[in-house]
Amino acid sequence: MSYMEDREETRGTPAGRTGPRTRRTADGGPSARTLLLTVLGEYVRWPGHDGVWSPTAVAALDALGVPEAATRRAITRLTGEGWLVARADGRYTRLTLAPSLYRLLTGWTERLARATRETPWSGQWQQLLFRPPATLREARAVVEEQLAFEGFGDLGRGVWIAADPGGVGALRALIAERGLAGHATWMTSSVSDPERERALVEQAWDPAAIRVVLEAFVDRFAGARANTDAEAFELRTRLVHAWRLTFECDPRLPAALLPADWPGAAASDLFVATWHQVHEPAQRWWAHLDRDPRRG
């Protein structure tokens, strides 16, 4: 795989929103900025570190086919927007995750982990009535973006539902942080009629479109193998990147609410199996890259 072969991309998000703005390359592939965020989430935040040397970030994206100049521009922009903090140490620069980026990447890793498990189902829907005034449009957009990422579907008129309660805590915190708690009412509800419940799912989400995304993920990574540590690093990074992007449309509904031939379990099993297959060799390659440059 190469830099230009990956066609996935995150949605653009202005500074001050829930995530840094990301862009596509000219052919629709991921920008250096987007891949850098994935690398920071998987190899820096997930193991519990708070930063990385700039040469390591450049070398990591070089292994993914990203030109050095593009990586350095991405670092400069993320630093300028306050997502990264750059500190010079002699000839080298240490990049530290700002608290805002640390929280964002923490949310990504928690959502990624939740998505590998079957969503428990007790028949209770998480329901949010969210109706801030038009004057708070920007703050509302921040919350609505995060609602979709956490698996909530929009029923219209400010009503959102989810089967998975795992993201409720983070959403409550975000709503409070944005000063919107007075415009949000949390409830749980149930639907006694199975036919009506199926209709509710189709109203809140687009199952046909979600199926396409999951089947594309399976088609892309089924049989993927890595023969070297460097290939394992590239495969693991692109795997995690693509898996995270499926959250934009897939709420990870419990099996009881889905057709018997739903591809979600196959996609999840493939992700977990492939990730475990390449985890150790990819980590070796990262350790090779993540050396203190001051020590030569």
Side-chain angles (χ1 to χ4, degrees):
M1 290 181 289
S2 71
Y3 175 46
M4 295 303 182
E5 285 174 341
D6 191 330
R7 296 289 190 241
E8 303 292 350
E9 180 59 277
T10 56
R11 195 165 45 243
T13 313
R17 296 276 300 274
T18 52
R21 182 185 297 277
T22 54
R23 301 179 177 87
R24 296 176 186 268
T25 57
D27 73 339
S31 65
R33 186 186 185 92
T34 305
L35 284 175
L36 177 59
L37 290 171
T38 297
V39 167
L40 292 174
E42 180 70 0
Y43 300 97
V44 179
R45 169 59 193 96
W46 186 78
H49 305 311
D50 67 352
V52 66
W53 290 100
S54 179
T56 299
V58 170
L61 264 66
D62 179 69
L64 298 167
V66 181
E68 179 178 346
T71 301
R72 293 197 179 279
R73 283 195 300 271
I75 291 171
T76 298
R77 288 166 180 162
L78 288 171
T79 301
E81 293 168 8
W83 298 101
L84 289 172
V85 178
R87 176 178 56 83
D89 191 330
R91 296 167 45 213
Y92 302 102
T93 300
R94 179 74 178 176
L95 303 173
T96 302
L97 307 181
S100 55
L101 184 56
Y102 194 88
R103 287 195 301 270
L104 173 72
L105 298 178
T106 298
W108 283 4
T109 55
E110 290 175 352
R111 181 75 173 101
L112 184 150
R114 279 205 336 267
T116 63
R117 302 186 292 267
E118 170 65 23
T119 300
W121 180 239
S122 64
Q124 293 291 311
W125 290 96
Q126 305 299 312
Q127 186 172 339
L128 171 64
L129 304 182
F130 186 57
R131 296 170 180 169
T135 54
L136 301 175
R137 184 179 296 109
E138 183 176 349
R140 174 177 180 169
V142 171
V143 174
E144 289 181 346
E145 181 175 334
Q146 194 66 17
L147 279 163
F149 182 78
E150 293 289 357
F152 276 74
D154 184 4
L155 291 176
R157 298 183 179 275
V159 181
W160 295 77
I161 62 169
D164 179 8
V168 171
L171 286 164
R172 283 181 179 273
L174 176 62
I175 289 170
E177 177 185 310
R178 294 287 169 168
L180 299 175
H183 306 287
T185 302
W186 291 93
M187 300 182 292
T188 58
S189 59
S190 60
V191 180
S192 57
D193 180 357
E195 185 174 338
R196 179 68 190 108
E197 196 151 55
R198 286 192 294 273
L200 190 70
V201 168
E202 293 185 359
Q203 182 180 349
W205 297 281
D206 185 348
I210 297 170
R211 180 186 289 273
V212 169
V213 169
L214 294 174
E215 289 177 345
F217 180 89
V218 172
D219 289 345
R220 179 179 179 186
F221 291 102
R225 295 291 182 271
N227 297 316
T228 66
D229 290 357
E231 289 179 1
F233 172 78
E234 180 177 4
L235 176 53
R236 176 177 160 188
T237 305
R238 294 193 185 280
L239 178 80
V240 170
H241 184 77
W243 185 242
R244 175 173 57 80
L245 293 176
T246 65
F247 303 157
E248 291 187 1
C249 69
D250 182 11
R252 300 303 195 268
L253 294 171
L257 302 176
L258 296 167
D261 65 344
W262 189 251
S268 178
D269 290 348
L270 176 62
F271 171 79
V272 171
T274 307
W275 189 90
H276 281 292
Q277 171 197 327
V278 297
H279 171 260
E280 186 175 341
Q283 206 62 41
R284 283 198 301 267
W285 183 253
W286 175 257
H288 166 73
L289 299 178
D290 192 29
R291 293 173 295 183
D292 188 336
R294 300 170 301 178
R295 297 178 182 175

